[in-house]
Amino acid sequence: MTEVQYVAPGTLDEAVRVFASASGAARILAGGTDLLVQMRSGAISPGLIVDIKKIAEMTAIEEGADGSFRIGAAVSGAALREHAKLKAVWPGVVEAANLIGSTQIQGRASAGGNLCNASPAGDSVPAMVAAAATVTVQGPNGRRQLAVEKVPAGPGRTTLAKGEIVVSFTLPPRPKGSGDAYLRMIPRTEMDIAVVGCGVSLTLDKGTCTAARVGLGAVAPTVLLVEDAAKALIGSKLDAAALDKAANACRAACKPIDDKRGTIAYRTQIAGVLLKRAATIAAERAGRS
Amino acid sequence: MNAPVSERSDNKWIGQRTVRPDGAEKVTGRAAYAADTTMPGMIWGKVLRSPHPHARIRSIDTSKAEKLPGVKAVMTAKDIVDFPIDKSVMLGIQDMRWMCRNVMAREKALFAGHPVAAVAAMSEKIAAEACKLIEVDYEVLPWVIDVEEAMKPDAPILHDFIKFEGKPSNIAGKLEHKLGDVEKGFAEADVVIERSFRTKPVHQGYIEPHACLVSVSDGKATVWSSSQGQFMVRAMSAYLTGLPQNDIRAIPAEIGGGFGGKTIIYLEPLALILSRKSGRPVKMTMTREEVFRASGPTSGSYSKVKIGAKKDGTIVAAQGTFCLQAGALPGSPIRGAAGCAFSPYDIQNVHAVGYDVVSNRSKVAAYRAPGAPLGAYAAECVLDEVAEALKMDPLQFRLKNAAKQGTKVAYGPVFPRIGYIETVEGAINHAHYKTPLPKAKNGMLYGRGVASGYWFNAGGESSAQVNVNEDGTVVVITGHPDIGGSRASTANIVAELLGIDYRKVAVLIGDTSVIGFSNLTGGSRVTYASAMVATQSTEQVIKTLKERAAKIWKIDPDAVSWENGEARPAGDNAGKFEPLTLAQLAAQANATGGPIGAGKQLNTTGAEGGFATHLCDVEVDPELGIARVIRYTAFQDVGRAIHPGYVEGQIQGGAAQGIGWALSEEYIYDKNGKLDNPGFLDYRMPVTSDLPMLDSVIIEVPNPKHPQGVRGVGEVPIVPPLAAVSNAVYNALGTRFYSLPMSPPKVLEALEAKSKA
Amino acid sequence: MAKVHVSTTINGEPHEFLCDAEQSLLDVLRGPLGLTGSKEGCASGDCGACSVTVDGRLVCSCLVLAPEAEGKSIGTIEGMATTDRLHPLQQKFLEMAALQCGICTPGVLMAAKSLLDRNPDPTEHEVRFWLAGNLCRCTGYDKIVRAVMETAKDMREAVR
């Protein structure tokens, strides 16, 4: 029988040290809303659990002088929702994190855990991708930054090296006239895993889209950055033709599977519908900013 | 909003929304459910389950498990009493030949999740580890799950002892009801519609997993369990383990939901055997995954219904074939499907057939009006199409053909005074039906649907004991687990009859050693049956109280009346005496003859079926295929609402389950015959944000055969929603499809097919 | 196999317990601490029957590791009523028959209290979406939602 050990280091260096040197399987514990479920079902049996919630850098939300935000990887969705400024500037990122599970889940689940669990359907990831978030990672070989979309490698796998921990997300400064939104399709109104998730972030200048990013989730082994959809929106006034083109770009980018949550045909069709709706909401928010 | 029940000025407690006697315990978390119980020295039991949907068990080697430190007992099917296939032994509605094979696999594992062995050990962790050490040699066999697939001539056969029309088959039984001549009827029809319908298995979905704690000491057993019937637990445990019934004391813990799924047992006989072998109390609980994989959801189904009507709206013939999935062993609820489908209507020619079909999934267990929702789904959708073809309003169509006093229905009885027409009229006249719905708005589509339904309701055995305490308070002991607030109703009735304050009546649920035989909590019978025996017991107590007053006053007992909680001389000729209260008489009980109490044990009869009509409005997002119920009103004849709050609760709960069945719930199997969604994440029951308020209109047409006029309430509410929601979705989309659940991909497909046509 | 020693505060009282590292807070509440009011419906965070608060935050205790309770302040259903009085939510649930079998009720009450602590005037929509993590199979939620909104109204009026 595996003996499980629990540690709660107070510094990041300590956390990396003990995580990297673990002899058997080791897991980072933030909110535990994926980890404990997987342990219960027998999917994983970690020998070491490293609780990183005592590390200040991982649990803080900081606003930079340039308008950027640094969000600790272990910050819960509920804490994000309670940060008025973050919610005002990045409503799409905040609503995405707060669609995960239920009120109880949001009280614990973190963007870091959501990203590193690497489910293709993780709700916060398409919004982070659309926001052009970068992650700060610390490991035995030091610290590095990378685009958030470079972290997932496939279902349940990341590109992180052994011993590396995601420390925080950095959201870039927001130009005036910007807005973001995240929408997902689920069969009920709450509680389901996304059948398709779509995050859109865009900037408008006098009604013309000058910048856009589209993140699409649950339609491929990892969350997709759909550059063709963004290209279709940039330079347009987000008219019906541009939205159709972007929607079709999303459909073309889909590589979904048939499973108990959706079919290939259904997911592909919905990807386009959600793009249009999310882009419309992002534009409304951009117009107000 | 909930419509108020008609005021009855002569009733102080009956019809009032009293606070239930067990309420404070429930809202503070103190109430003891089976998993909350502990005993000194308690150890833990775990079950090893078959990974294969169909396999012959060649051998089981438990030796390694037995040697693991901390393991105290191991068992297999060898330890369970065998009921040979060639002799049926019935216990209630369950055949022990199937029960002994269901609680643990004998010759074959019949579904993925079927128990194969069990272990008791010092901790759950050790017990689980020990299960992994049990070696089972399986000969994997081809499997079949879907009911249509299982009926095909080349389907894998589960049991060589099941034959249909002389050939080995998975069709384990057939039921038929006939009235008149349907061929003749159809020949007279101006409109005939025939449709086929398919549904998936759905689970009762109780939030509390099965749990029990069993202690066997010196051959005598005490069983605490989450069940809908402690007498059923005792009897089944006795039959399956060989322990005599008087050596088993079955105590009903508070139960966290049942809906029929806890009218049989899974863990108790295993825990009994493990406790007997280990000499320790054994606790066993199911995980949520085990509940879904290995307890009994209801049937998936394939049905065909044909209805014919004349131009003037008279239904002349109704025909239905209902194929219901039984799971691993026979016993699907074809009786409910075939018996109830057409019973809200007065039809001269009816032919209803049910087929019981086995297949490699867990054995079906009862689920709220078993079978009836499936029959009603098909019948009420076809009725809707017939009404549309006749250009008749669907409620007027039902009214025209409504069953009433004197109607003979195909499954046998002639109806006495019933309240079906009142439910239809209630719907027609309600603000909901009169409020127009837009066809489309802001990109969403809207639709309205109606459906009716019927369920038999049961009476059955019940016992009660009413004892007056020395201080004039009263204790009532009944025999049925309370899963819906029935203690409150019992207290209402006893307080009313005695004329005392409701809060002076305590209601307890007795275990098998302290109360007389009482049949299951199910069949919509608890308020009906326990009210009857509680009433008769209380009437006997009142008779005794009058005798005691007579003794004190030295007059004839016939000269004493009981009013407002007091004994009084019945008229001036009886004499001038000050009234004696219950408390005063109780204080003198021992001096006047001894303790005051009475009990009654009865097989209660006179239960009449229940009827309901439901209205449903839906909103459909045509781009995503998502349908949501936005308004719902249920009309039901309950005879008499003893406690309106809990009556409404039954109506709302049943409607919510039906809505989930219609829109989002289904068992999904993977390509290996294993359940792919054994959890609340992907088995999608409605959550708070999925539903609107569920308005329930209580209609009271008293049942003349019951002292308070009660009709069973609990099961009828789940019968109409499948069709009510389907008819509403049709009304929104303008196109029909005939399978449940109406999940978004299917709605989208239907819309795409319609736009191509 | 060394157990983890945890010191924590539950419903305002100090408690200590020993646990395995992989046990959940729900396991230890129901086991060594004898606080069986929080229920296990699924052990995977999908039903809310195990809802508790940790430092004031509503969570599923089945998804909190027992060692995480160290130094935290835990709130359970057992702490909702005061010594001599039910909380207004508990009282209202009884008056409005907002429970039938009662198994989901502790979790629902904890979640509802958490809502009213933050939002004294929730709309029906807000109540429904806040409680979406609490499954109930008996009631269809109608009376639960009504009871929460009625209690909110009573509590607002009491404050005035």
Side-chain angles (χ1 to χ4, degrees):
Chain A
M1 269 178 279
T2 345
E3 268 186 47
V4 184
Q5 218 199 334
Y6 166 91
V7 296
T11 68
L12 193 47
D13 287 335
E14 175 66 16
V16 169
R17 194 189 60 74
V18 74
F19 186 50
S21 61
S23 50
R27 281 290 193 279
I28 301 295
L29 172 67
T33 55
D34 287 317
L35 179 63
L36 271 75
V37 174
Q38 289 160 7
M39 284 168 62
R40 267 302 146 120
S41 71
I44 56 176
S45 303
L48 174 69
I49 297 172
V50 182
D51 184 343
I52 40 75
K53 295 192 291 294
K54 291 202 163 82
I55 300 166
E57 203 183 345
M58 296 195 64
T59 53
I61 304 173
E62 282 165 19
E63 204 185 333
D66 60 353
S68 63
F69 283 91
R70 208 190 55 77
I71 302 170
V75 173
S76 71
L80 291 179
R81 166 175 81 222
E82 287 164 3
H83 194 287
K85 191 75 189 289
L86 182 65
K87 197 169 158 194
V89 178
W90 291 103
V93 169
V94 173
E95 73 197 345
N98 280 282
L99 281 171
I100 301 172
S102 61
T103 308
Q104 289 87 339
I105 299 296
Q106 292 143 28
R108 295 267 292 174
S110 65
N114 203 223
L115 180 67
C116 295
N117 186 50
S119 158
D123 282 308
S124 66
V125 188
M128 286 290 194
V129 168
T134 53
V135 293
T136 301
V137 168
Q138 182 140 329
N141 293 332
R143 192 170 265 235
R144 62 188 180 107
Q145 267 82 32
L146 64 160
V148 69
E149 62 268 21
K150 296 272 191 283
V151 175
R157 296 178 297 117
T158 67
T159 57
L160 300 177
K162 180 164 159 62
E164 283 192 311
I165 302 175
V166 171
V167 178
S168 60
F169 294 79
T170 302
L171 298 175
R174 207 84 168 104
K176 196 170 174 330
S178 300
D180 71 336
Y182 174 77
L183 282 181
R184 65 179 187 171
M185 185 280 162
I186 51 167
R188 292 181 290 181
T189 50
E190 285 285 290
M191 294 306 286
D192 291 327
I193 298 290
V195 177
V196 179
C198 181
V200 176
S201 173
L202 43 78
T203 307
L204 298 181
D205 183 10
K206 298 189 184 57
T208 300
C209 176
T210 56
R213 276 175 70 94
V214 174
L216 202 56
V219 293
T222 64
V223 171
L224 301 173
L225 171 65
V226 190
E227 285 166 335
D228 287 343
K231 284 200 193 101
L233 297 176
I234 295 171
S236 80
K237 288 206 177 278
L238 300 179
D239 50 285
L243 289 173
D244 271 337
K245 194 153 173 241
N248 288 330
C250 281
R251 292 195 176 107
C254 285
K255 293 183 295 257
I257 56 169
D258 281 331
D259 70 4
K260 64 193 169 210
R261 296 176 188 141
T263 58
I264 293 167
Y266 182 75
R267 285 179 155 125
T268 307
Q269 174 61 21
I270 295 316
V273 175
L274 291 184
L275 179 286
K276 290 194 207 177
R277 294 185 184 186
T280 304
I281 298 171
E284 276 165 31
R285 289 174 176 166
R288 287 199 302 268
S289 83
Chain B
M1 81 236 94
N2 298 311
V5 175
S6 52
E7 297 294 321
R8 297 269 284 259
S9 59
D10 53 339
N11 279 144
K12 188 153 185 218
W13 303 111
I14 291 179
Q16 298 307 313
R17 297 169 188 265
T18 48
V19 170
R20 57 197 283 176
D22 56 314
E25 288 174 0
K26 297 254 155 82
V27 297
T28 55
R30 266 184 233 172
Y33 296 82
D36 301 330
T37 51
T38 56
M39 268 197 95
M42 182 178 97
I43 60 175
W44 292 84
K46 279 257 177 260
V47 177
L48 175 68
R49 299 177 182 279
S50 166
H52 306 293
H54 196 195
R56 200 173 311 277
I57 297 173
R58 285 197 274 239
S59 67
I60 305 179
D61 181 355
T62 59
S63 55
K64 292 199 181 91
E66 288 167 46
K67 292 196 192 82
L68 186 69
V71 169
K72 299 298 176 196
V74 180
M75 66 163 291
T76 64
K78 288 198 308 291
D79 299 300
I80 306 253
V81 173
D82 185 16
F83 288 83
I85 298 295
D86 55 353
K87 182 161 178 278
S88 170
V89 176
M90 297 305 293
L91 188 59
I93 57 167
Q94 297 296 341
D95 192 324
M96 295 312 295
R97 295 178 290 172
W98 315 142
M99 285 308 299
C100 77
R101 282 167 174 75
N102 198 45
V103 295
M104 197 154 273
R106 291 197 101 79
E107 309 86 5
K108 279 194 193 182
L110 294 164
F111 61 94
H114 201 170
V116 169
V119 174
M122 296 300 292
S123 72
E124 282 191 273
K125 209 160 145 180
I126 297 172
E129 215 34 59
C131 284
K132 292 193 196 138
L133 297 174
I134 297 175
E135 289 164 355
V136 185
D137 185 13
Y138 294 104
E139 180 195 331
V140 176
L141 300 168
W143 53 269
V144 63
I145 290 177
D146 176 79
V147 66
E148 287 176 86
E149 292 297 312
M151 292 175 80
K152 288 194 173 141
D154 56 347
I157 299 293
L158 270 71
H159 303 290
D160 42 30
F161 54 79
I162 292 180
K163 292 194 174 33
F164 187 71
E165 290 170 353
K167 290 198 294 284
S169 172
N170 291 321
I171 301 176
K174 182 181 173 183
L175 174 77
E176 204 163 354
H177 298 305
K178 270 196 187 139
L179 199 63
D181 179 347
V182 287
E183 292 312 319
K184 189 155 155 294
F186 285 125
E188 291 168 19
D190 295 310
V191 169
V192 176
I193 306 258
E194 181 174 24
R195 297 282 181 250
S196 299
F197 299 83
R198 292 172 169 83
T199 69
K200 298 278 188 193
V202 293
H203 195 272
Q204 300 82 350
Y206 33 86
I207 307 300
E208 180 209 25
H210 300 262
C212 68
L213 171 57
V214 179
S215 173
V216 181
S217 179
D218 190 30
K220 296 199 193 320
T222 309
V223 178
W224 285 267
S225 71
S226 169
S227 84
Q228 289 175 248
Q230 63 278 37
F231 288 90
M232 174 276 300
V233 171
R234 182 178 72 173
M236 280 214 193
S237 300
Y239 276 57
L240 292 170
T241 63
L243 262 158
Q245 288 205 32
N246 70 307
D247 282 343
I248 302 176
R249 179 178 186 185
I251 301 173
E254 295 300 328
I255 172 175
F259 315 109
K262 291 178 181 166
T263 57
I264 60 172
I265 55 178
Y266 300 97
L267 299 173
E268 290 81 347
L270 311 187
L272 242 160
I273 290 164
L274 290 169
S275 181
R276 189 167 58 184
K277 282 189 167 196
S278 67
R280 310 279 292 255
V282 174
K283 186 159 179 182
M284 293 185 81
T285 59
M286 280 199 196
T287 62
R288 178 51 50 186
E289 193 180 326
E290 287 177 301
V291 172
F292 276 118
R293 285 197 196 288
S295 70
T298 192
S299 311
S301 70
Y302 169 65
S303 307
K304 261 221 272 254
V305 163
K306 182 172 167 186
I307 295 180
K310 294 220 270 255
K311 276 202 293 281
D312 69 351
T314 311
I315 300 172
V316 285
Q319 183 172 63
T321 306
F322 307 98
C323 305
L324 268 53
Q325 191 187 37
L329 293 151
S332 68
I334 47 181
R335 182 179 155 261
C340 298
F342 305 117
S343 294
Y345 309 104
D346 192 337
I347 308 173
Q348 299 300 307
N349 308 295
V350 176
H351 185 208
V353 180
Y355 289 102
D356 182 20
V357 182
V358 295
S359 68
N360 293 113
R361 51 141 266 206
S362 48
K363 180 185 185 317
V364 83
Y367 179 20
R368 206 164 198 160
L374 298 173
Y377 166 51
E380 295 287 324
C381 283
V382 174
L383 280 169
D384 221 54
E385 281 201 68
V386 174
E388 194 180 32
L390 293 172
K391 296 190 174 31
M392 268 186 90
D393 171 274
L395 287 175
Q396 294 293 344
F397 181 54
R398 285 168 173 81
L399 195 60
K400 183 168 176 64
N401 293 282
K404 50 193 174 299
Q405 186 163 7
T407 297
K408 181 167 171 69
V409 281
Y411 79 90
V414 172
F415 284 143
R417 177 75 171 95
I418 54 174
Y420 174 53
I421 286 174
E422 285 83 347
T423 70
V424 184
E425 287 172 340
I428 289 170
N429 295 318
H430 195 271
H432 181 171
Y433 205 59
K434 295 184 180 163
T435 308
L437 261 186
K439 268 275 126 183
K441 192 168 154 198
N442 296 336
M444 302 293 246
L445 304 175
Y446 294 87
R448 177 168 292 161
V450 312
S452 295
Y454 170 78
W455 174 248
F456 310 114
N457 290 338
E461 303 89 336
S462 190
S463 303
Q465 189 74 25
V466 177
N467 291 322
V468 180
N469 301 323
E470 305 95 285
D471 63 354
T473 59
V474 175
V475 175
V476 180
I477 306 182
T478 67
H480 310 289
D482 178 358
I483 51 179
S486 46
R487 272 177 281 220
S489 300
T490 305
N492 275 3
I493 289 170
V494 173
E496 190 78 52
L497 290 168
L498 286 173
I500 60 174
D501 191 294
Y502 167 87
R503 284 161 294 230
K504 291 195 193 294
V505 179
V507 180
L508 282 74
I509 316 295
D511 66 61
T512 55
S513 303
V514 307
I515 192 66
F517 183 84
S518 300
N519 210 323
L520 303 168
T521 290
S524 306
R525 56 179 298 274
V526 170
T527 300
Y528 181 89
S530 54
M532 218 182 245
V533 289
T535 297
Q536 293 193 19
S537 306
T538 308
E539 284 167 348
Q540 180 60 42
V541 165
I542 290 171
K543 184 161 175 288
T544 305
L545 289 165
K546 291 199 277 190
E547 285 164 5
R548 302 301 176 90
K551 198 164 178 183
I552 291 167
W553 293 332
K554 297 184 177 45
I555 63 175
D556 198 279
D558 292 335
V560 180
S561 71
W562 185 266
E563 281 166 65
N564 293 330
E566 301 177 323
R568 295 182 184 170
D572 292 327
N573 293 340
K576 276 191 181 7
F577 301 102
E578 284 300 302
L580 285 165
T581 65
L582 177 55
Q584 287 170 319
L585 287 164
Q588 300 184 63
N590 286 336
T592 57
I596 300 173
K600 195 76 197 173
Q601 300 181 291
L602 265 187
N603 186 0
T604 64
T605 54
E608 293 300 333
F611 295 87
T613 299
H614 288 193
L615 294 178
C616 175
D617 290 349
V618 297
E619 174 188 83
V620 181
D621 182 330
E623 288 186 319
L624 297 180
I626 298 176
R628 301 243 184 270
V629 175
I630 55 171
R631 188 169 182 185
Y632 204 91
T633 312
F635 305 81
Q636 184 169 335
D637 171 22
V638 308
R640 185 77 207 282
I642 304 296
H643 189 304
Y646 291 109
V647 168
E648 287 159 352
Q650 290 299 310
I651 294 172
Q652 292 165 334
Q657 287 177 315
I659 291 169
W661 197 332
L663 290 176
S664 56
E665 295 178 40
E666 58 177 316
Y667 263 43
I668 301 171
Y669 287 92
D670 68 17
K671 59 186 196 318
N672 297 315
K674 277 185 92 155
L675 187 61
D676 203 12
N677 61 336
F680 284 137
L681 179 60
D682 291 304
Y683 181 80
R684 303 187 193 105
M685 298 180 355
V687 299
T688 40
S689 42
D690 291 330
L691 297 173
M693 293 299 184
L694 301 169
D695 292 333
S696 48
V697 175
I698 294 175
I699 291 166
E700 294 178 310
V701 174
N703 177 358
K705 299 180 189 171
H706 189 274
Q708 285 87 26
V710 165
R711 296 182 197 271
V713 168
E715 291 171 285
V716 179
I718 202 176
V719 182
L722 279 58
V725 177
S726 298
N727 291 333
V729 170
Y730 160 66
N731 189 243
L733 301 185
T735 181
R736 285 194 195 264
F737 58 99
Y738 305 99
S739 71
L740 298 181
M742 288 177 286
S743 54
K746 281 153 95 174
V747 171
L748 216 57
E749 254 177 56
L751 279 170
E752 277 164 18
K754 176 180 176 223
S755 67
K756 288 199 180 103
Chain C
M1 179 167 32
K3 297 248 182 201
V4 180
H5 175 269
V6 178
S7 297
T8 186
T9 305
I10 303 180
N11 300 325
E13 294 295 331
H15 285 272
E16 288 179 56
F17 59 86
L18 292 175
C19 66
D20 293 332
E22 75 267 29
Q23 280 182 289
S24 68
L25 177 57
L26 180 64
D27 290 337
V28 298
L29 283 172
R30 290 180 55 77
L33 292 169
L35 294 167
T36 55
S38 305
K39 308 296 180 192
E40 179 175 312
C42 71
S44 57
D46 296 308
C47 76
C50 67
S51 299
V52 301
T53 56
V54 176
D55 286 350
R57 182 72 77 194
L58 182 73
V59 298
C60 283
S61 58
C62 71
L63 294 186
V64 176
L65 276 185
E68 291 186 73
E70 177 69 39
K72 298 261 187 275
S73 185
I74 314 283
T76 73
I77 183 67
E78 287 88 349
M80 195 163 173
T82 58
T83 41
D84 66 342
R85 198 179 290 199
L86 293 177
H87 185 278
L89 276 168
Q90 291 170 309
Q91 186 61 38
K92 190 66 72 176
F93 268 52
L94 291 179
E95 288 166 11
M96 292 183 70
L99 62 143
Q100 289 179 33
C101 79
I103 196 80
C104 76
T105 306
V108 171
L109 285 168
M110 292 299 292
K113 179 170 183 299
S114 173
L115 172 64
L116 297 187
D117 284 346
R118 283 162 174 72
N119 182 353
D121 193 2
T123 61
E124 181 186 336
H125 182 91
E126 285 171 329
V127 172
R128 287 186 181 277
F129 275 82
W130 186 271
L131 294 181
N134 289 84
L135 288 182
C136 172
R137 196 57 160 167
C138 292
T139 66
Y141 307 108
D142 181 298
K143 290 181 189 298
I144 290 174
V145 174
R146 288 181 201 274
V148 174
M149 293 182 67
E150 278 296 308
T151 309
K153 183 156 159 279
D154 288 351
M155 287 171 74
R156 288 194 305 274
E157 280 164 15
V159 165
R160 266 197 242 110

